[in-house]
Amino acid sequence: MERGEKRRRRRCLILGVVAVLLLIILVAVVLGLTLRRNTLKTTFIKRCEEFKGYDCQKVWGLFEQAYVGLDPCEVPMEAYDPLMAAVPFKPECNRKIFWNKTKDVVHDFTEKRDCFYTVEETLLGSVLDGLTWCGKEGSSETFTTGCPGWTDCANNTVRSFWNRVSAAFADGACGNVTVMLNGSIATPFHPASVFASIEVKRFDFPRVKSLNVVLVTQENFVTNCTNASLKDLQKELDQGMTYECKEVSEAQIEECSSNPEKPCGACW
């Protein structure tokens, strides 16, 4: 009888330990999901507050409304329209620079020189640069893992956001527009890129008078300004808009960006 009682106590103790462990794991999972969401919100708000004059809690709320509770592959560009309306892009001439496959180069340049700025340096571009997020059907949560990748579906949460923001950024471009493209790939003007599929189509003449292509080259670059894809780019432009392409080494751009005495135009 005494031995049976010991077994029962041991069994109860083991079951109790297992129950506690399962509870700890459950709490850890819930806490982890909450922390990930809060980390995204914290990053969003912190970046937003670097821009003066905005109610960043309201901006976050409008951002969440675009995708929370929805299938992460069923979030069209238009879902972000209320967010765009609350934080509109100001039209600005001669200072907007676009890019494709040259992000590090162009951002290194714009961080050191204030003559150009990219979409990632605007409020809406800055708050979500490099981040991933999505919602789930029937859930009020924001998730940062398990979200579809850029090419997994056309209307995924992240892709639709960047398409919408890029469209608005391009709509506000005027005068002379610059783009940095990659001279180390076979197709610098790729039809699937955001620049080709969204931004260029927004360059309307006479609002945009010219497009300057800076083809960033390495030592053994594979393309030049006669590349077939760049001919396709020229065909996309409105009649009357001027076009210029220059092959510029990455080393030259880096050297020039570090020399504040050189005017930006001299960098290429």
Side-chain angles (χ1 to χ4, degrees):
M1 193 72 179
E2 191 175 327
R3 188 177 298 169
E5 183 66 28
K6 285 182 178 178
R7 285 176 183 167
R8 278 194 296 275
R9 286 181 180 176
R10 191 180 297 118
R11 192 180 303 119
C12 288
L13 180 61
I14 292 170
L15 289 173
V17 170
V18 170
V20 170
L21 287 173
L22 288 173
L23 182 60
I24 290 171
I25 291 169
L26 179 61
V27 170
V29 169
V30 172
L31 184 61
L33 291 173
T34 304
L35 285 174
R36 277 199 294 271
R37 178 186 180 276
N38 288 343
T39 299
L40 177 70
K41 183 177 180 180
T42 300
T43 301
F44 186 106
I45 297 295
K46 183 179 178 182
R47 292 178 177 181
C48 174
E49 288 174 345
E50 293 176 7
F51 297 81
K52 305 301 181 186
Y54 293 94
D55 182 341
C56 292
Q57 291 290 342
K58 180 182 177 183
V59 176
W60 167 261
L62 289 169
F63 164 66
E64 274 198 315
Q65 285 176 22
Y67 63 86
V68 164
L70 301 178
D71 183 321
C73 279
E74 297 296 335
V75 180
M77 285 173 56
E78 295 73 26
Y80 292 100
D81 282 355
L83 179 63
M84 298 295 124
V87 192
F89 286 101
K90 296 174 183 176
E92 191 159 12
C93 295
N94 310 324
R95 291 196 63 227
K96 294 190 175 185
I97 188 166
F98 299 79
W99 58 270
N100 182 49
K101 303 290 186 184
T102 55
K103 184 177 182 179
D104 290 343
V105 180
V106 72
H107 283 171
D108 179 68
F109 182 81
T110 57
E111 281 172 14
K112 295 173 182 175
R113 308 296 293 272
D114 62 358
C115 43
F116 294 106
Y117 70 97
T118 66
V119 68
E120 291 83 11
E121 290 159 281
T122 65
L123 187 151
L124 289 181
S126 169
V127 292
L128 292 162
D129 187 25
L131 303 179
T132 298
W133 68 93
C134 66
K136 304 286 183 188
E137 277 189 293
S139 172
S140 60
E141 293 297 313
T142 290
F143 300 90
T144 56
T145 59
C147 300
W150 185 269
T151 58
D152 289 342
C153 47
N155 286 329
N156 74 68
T157 319
V158 175
R159 183 172 179 170
S160 288
F161 171 81
W162 285 111
N163 284 347
R164 184 65 186 86
V165 169
S166 298
F169 187 66
D171 283 338
C174 60
N176 302 317
V177 171
T178 302
V179 60
M180 277 194 190
L181 299 179
N182 193 328
S184 298
I185 57 178
T187 312
F189 180 68
H190 197 286
S193 68
V194 173
F195 180 66
S197 63
I198 301 290
E199 292 166 335
V200 164
K201 299 181 185 303
R202 304 280 180 151
F203 296 161
D204 298 325
F205 182 81
R207 175 173 55 84
V208 175
K209 293 181 169 34
S210 67
L211 177 65
N212 304 311
V213 174
V214 178
L215 191 64
V216 183
T217 62
Q218 304 284 346
E219 236 176 86
N220 299 313
F221 60 97
V222 298
T223 56
N224 56 37
C225 286
T226 64
N227 183 270
S229 73
L230 296 177
K231 301 295 183 186
D232 294 334
L233 169 56
Q234 292 178 65
K235 293 174 186 175
E236 289 278 344
L237 303 180
D238 281 357
Q239 189 172 359
M241 195 183 303
T242 60
Y243 169 91
E244 185 176 11
C245 176
K246 290 183 179 178
E247 298 150 18
V248 187
S249 72
E250 184 174 338
Q252 179 181 332
I253 293 171
E254 289 175 352
E255 186 275 330
C256 188
S257 66
S258 300
N259 186 350
E261 293 184 6
K262 269 193 175 182
C264 287
C267 292
W268 47 75

